[in-house]
Amino acid sequence: MRRDVAIIGAGAAGLSLAWRLLCPPRGAAAPSVVLVDAPPGPLRPLPRTWCYWERGPGEYDAWLTASWRRVRLHGADGRPVPCDLGALRYKMLTSESFARGVGPRLAGLDRVEAVAEGIADGPGGATVSCRTTDGRERRVHARWVFDTRPPSPLPPGRVRLLQHFKGWFLRSGRPVFAPGTVDLMDFRTPQPPQGLSFGYVLPLSRHEALVEYTEFSREPLSDEAYDRALRHYAGSLLGTGGFEVRGVERGRIPMTDARYERRAGRSTFRIGAAGGAVRPSTGYAFAAIQRQTRAVAALLHAGREPLPPPAYPGRSLLMDAVLLRGIDTGRVSGPEFFTRLFEEVPPERLLRFLDGETRPSEEFRIGLRTPVLPMLRATAELPFLARRA
């Protein structure tokens, strides 16, 4: 099979890029595209929920599960810090809804259900070797290949934590949820000896919500430990009374200053999580994936080399590394750090900062709201830390 573009993986990055490539601007031709997706099984990602903030109406609004104009943080002392997002909206989109929504727009797309085993660069393109479920080998040759699979093992980094979580889609016996407000970080949860933990609530009605328990730490928990934490959070802290679990979501997101190479060969590129779209300090990725795929599609439609742009400015990644080092060493209290930011930084500026879209002058003012001495010490240590795989 020969096509202009081959995309490996049908997650947020793969589907977003395919859709943008097949919807060219006026005067540009759509390239021929093939999507290589793993068959159902351990190599295909489980359904998941993506959240992001956006100003005004967005291109995926018709497929959203919910959106909110207010978020809230609870300090470790239980004090609520409400934030009105102004013109921004916090949006919730499930992977199933996203796939259904873009599906009709991908009518011109070829699909190969197989496991990509290797990519070989050659003159004028690259060849993807695939293996189908019945053991047959298939080869796809394309001028440009975009790989969305996270590298394994991860590239070496100086700082490495995990954001790991488990969530329940639950229906409570009591009307305890506030449908207009997301609990973005609830630090009333018992804090681990190292790192931090918080609850996260996406309310869908007075009785229904996605409730998650999240930790930033070096190692994930057992499934039983997540369940104990969720029962305590939902029952004791949220006061749900009896509740019914209607769905489960879990995840592990590397939080590291590792350098994700966006170019893997002369004709092969990495996008999405594989191309550094996950923000190390928060785990958010969906908005960066949209920026990255929009830029790649524009380059291809213009007939130029489609090198994906960096997902975040270098100074944002440096600040993330400093924060992660501070949390990992225990010099920076995560609950105090985030609570102070939400109390003292205007919400819209803070969210732009988390998206890597603030100016250096704004970042300097935000930095003054952080524990300056511990952050300076972490900054001084970073150049002397070895990068380890």
Side-chain angles (χ1 to χ4, degrees):
M1 181 182 290
R2 292 181 176 272
R3 297 293 183 268
D4 297 324
V5 175
I7 301 171
I8 303 174
L15 291 179
S16 297
L17 179 58
W19 172 54
R20 295 185 190 285
L21 290 176
L22 295 177
C23 299
R26 182 176 298 178
S32 57
V33 181
V34 58
L35 183 68
V36 179
D37 191 23
L43 295 181
R44 180 176 287 189
L46 294 171
R48 77 222 33 208
T49 298
W50 298 312
C51 288
Y52 57 101
W53 42 83
E54 189 173 39
R55 181 181 296 274
E59 54 196 347
Y60 305 137
D61 280 6
W63 313 329
L64 296 176
T65 300
S67 68
W68 303 267
R69 60 176 297 176
R70 291 182 298 276
V71 299
R72 180 172 56 193
L73 180 143
H74 283 275
D77 58 1
R79 185 166 38 91
V81 182
C83 297
D84 189 299
L85 299 182
L88 295 175
R89 295 292 180 271
Y90 191 70
K91 300 183 177 183
M92 175 185 183
L93 176 66
T94 66
S95 56
E96 300 102 312
S97 177
F98 183 65
R100 286 195 302 269
V102 300
R105 309 184 187 200
L106 302 181
L109 181 75
D110 292 302
R111 289 180 181 258
V112 173
E113 192 170 273
V115 176
E117 296 183 330
I119 305 173
D121 262 308
T127 300
V128 183
S129 300
C130 311
R131 185 77 58 182
T132 63
T133 52
D134 58 7
R136 290 184 298 116
E137 184 181 16
R138 294 199 64 178
R139 293 181 180 273
V140 175
H141 182 81
R143 177 65 186 91
W144 305 110
V145 174
F146 296 91
D147 193 353
T148 71
R149 301 169 300 169
S152 181
L154 291 174
R158 296 168 297 186
V159 182
R160 177 165 296 162
L161 294 175
L162 275 178
Q163 179 183 160
H164 50 97
F165 59 88
K166 184 174 182 178
W168 288 340
F169 289 88
L170 59 81
R171 179 171 179 83
S172 70
R174 300 172 183 167
V176 297
F177 302 117
T181 302
V182 169
D183 281 311
L184 204 60
M185 286 180 160
D186 188 342
F187 291 114
R188 293 177 293 170
T189 55
Q191 295 301 307
Q194 191 172 34
L196 62 93
S197 74
F198 57 88
Y200 176 59
V201 181
L202 296 173
L204 305 176
S205 71
R206 296 285 292 169
H207 288 268
E208 295 174 303
L210 170 58
V211 177
E212 291 186 352
Y213 174 79
T214 301
E215 280 195 14
F216 292 4
S217 61
R218 293 185 181 182
E219 299 293 338
L221 304 179
S222 67
D223 210 44
E224 294 77 14
Y226 288 118
D227 287 346
R228 285 194 300 271
L230 277 166
R231 282 194 294 269
H232 173 262
Y233 181 60
S236 300
L237 296 179
L238 298 182
T240 55
F243 57 84
E244 175 189 359
V245 177
R246 296 185 167 183
V248 177
E249 180 173 274
R250 53 172 58 84
R252 298 178 185 178
I253 303 171
M255 306 177 74
T256 172
D257 70 338
R259 296 168 181 158
Y260 288 82
E261 299 295 337
R262 291 165 286 127
R263 183 165 212 146
R266 286 180 295 179
S267 301
T268 305
F269 305 99
R270 295 191 179 104
I271 59 171
V278 178
R279 182 74 193 260
S281 61
T282 64
Y284 284 102
F286 192 79
I289 286 171
Q290 301 312 307
R291 293 194 298 267
Q292 206 174 53
T293 55
R294 192 178 293 116
V296 167
L299 290 169
L300 275 168
H301 289 145
R304 298 167 58 190
E305 182 182 71
L307 175 64
Y312 303 99
R315 64 181 186 275
S316 297
L317 300 179
L318 174 61
M319 289 185 286
D320 286 354
V322 171
L323 172 61
L324 294 178
R325 174 66 178 173
I327 291 175
D328 190 34
T329 58
R331 298 191 199 108
V332 174
S333 165
E336 292 178 10
F337 177 91
F338 285 107
T339 301
R340 186 173 178 186
L341 284 186
F342 271 80
E343 285 180 328
E344 300 186 9
V345 179
E348 188 168 339
R349 182 186 302 165
L350 180 58
L351 294 183
R352 285 193 295 109
F353 171 71
L354 296 178
D355 251 350
E357 295 184 335
T358 43
R359 298 185 301 273
S361 59
E362 294 176 299
E363 293 158 7
F364 177 76
R365 291 198 295 273
I366 291 172
L368 295 178
R369 269 71 178 176
T370 67
V372 175
L373 290 180
M375 298 289 275
L376 287 175
R377 183 173 176 182
T379 303
E381 289 175 340
L382 279 178
F384 301 98
L385 298 178
R387 291 188 177 271
R388 288 195 285 257

